[in-house]
Amino acid sequence: MRCDVDFGSPIETDDSWHGARSSLSDQHIDAIAFPVGDAALELLRERPARWLVMMLKEVCSRIIRSGGVSSCYVGKYRKAYVTLNLVLNEHFVIMGDGKEDRAARKGAIAPAFRPRLPLARMPKGRERDLSNDSQVIDLHFFHCLGQRRCMGDDNAIAALSGRQFDFDAAARFATVGGSTATKLQKLGLTEAPGIGFCRLGATVLRLPSDAKLRDRLVNNLAGVETQLSVRCRTNGADLAGWAELLQAGEALKKLDIELTGRNLRDMHVLMFGHSNTRSDSVLRKYRSAREWVGE
């Protein structure tokens, strides 16, 4: 099936960041080179994370509607998918405590929890391109989080060890680095959750148990919120936020990580995005939520 990679009309959305209609236009997409360079990333860095996630969701929907990955993961769609993910990786760890900094990073969830394209078990052709690109996105995410530990692989060391992320070395590692288990071992992520729990946040470079845990936590989120709504009698309670904290706490338990306020906040950020809540407040809210569900 032939895929038309021309976006046609721009992707539009209400943009609360600028207070006006905005779009991911053909001009933006045409300027994105592949492999991605700094000039391409700069086009989207000024956008807040919430806008980038909406655009990523739209790109995924258009690829699926137009024939799927095997037909349409090419050209502008491929460039947009990769670049939006890379800028979201940067937003995930954006520094600063100003109002604009907080607004920019809000909603910058980890790669595994973003809108994403389905990955084939035995990828070939454009599906293999998606698999390799997803590994590069994961590696870039690790680099943004400060992961530098690599063992015995020149490409992985070149990709992660420098101040600037090496896209070419990361692409070589994705292509020739071996199986997922071998790559995790080379990255030092086979046993430990990794800095910032990055292994759980990866789309491809994670253990099968991480994928199962992630899917279960996300799929059960609505049920946890319903359970809270039945039992909670507090007017104005943030049931959705409490449900998220309960699932973040469940992730810590399953990964055998100490349930502290800092760890709970970091896990919540990984799964659901940044908030302005302090670690001690997060832990108090979590304990309150547990009381309401009878734990």
Side-chain angles (χ1 to χ4, degrees), residues 135-136 139-140 142-144 147-148 150 153-174 187:
Q135 292 178 63
V136 173
L139 287 165
H140 181 258
F142 297 167
H143 186 271
C144 289
Q147 171 72 2
R148 298 291 184 269
C150 304
D153 188 285
D154 291 342
N155 290 320
I157 293 170
L160 294 178
S161 62
R163 185 170 179 272
Q164 297 294 323
F165 182 72
D166 189 329
F167 287 101
D168 292 335
R172 290 193 296 271
F173 180 71
L187 296 170

Side-chain angles (χ1 to χ4, degrees), residues 51-105:
W51 186 91
L52 296 168
V53 170
M54 285 190 290
M55 294 304 101
L56 182 59
K57 183 177 181 180
E58 179 63 22
V59 169
C60 292
S61 296
R62 290 196 179 200
I63 290 174
I64 292 170
R65 290 198 307 266
S66 300
V69 173
S70 61
S71 299
C72 296
Y73 189 69
V74 65
K76 294 179 181 179
Y77 284 146
R78 182 181 182 185
K79 295 171 185 177
Y81 185 82
V82 170
T83 306
L84 287 164
N85 269 293
L86 295 179
V87 178
L88 279 167
N89 286 350
E90 293 181 351
H91 276 52
F92 188 88
V93 295
I94 197 169
M95 302 301 291
D97 294 319
K99 182 178 179 182
E100 289 191 357
D101 295 318
R102 292 195 299 268
R105 69 184 181 224

Side-chain angles (χ1 to χ4, degrees), residues 128-139:
R128 182 173 58 246
D129 292 338
L130 172 62
S131 178
N132 290 337
D133 290 351
S134 297
Q135 292 178 63
V136 173
I137 292 166
D138 286 346
L139 287 165

Side-chain angles (χ1 to χ4, degrees), residues 14-23 46-48 50-51:
D14 287 318
D15 188 0
S16 59
W17 179 257
H18 295 289
R21 300 285 289 183
S22 63
S23 63
E46 67 182 35
R47 298 291 190 174
R50 288 174 296 180
W51 186 91

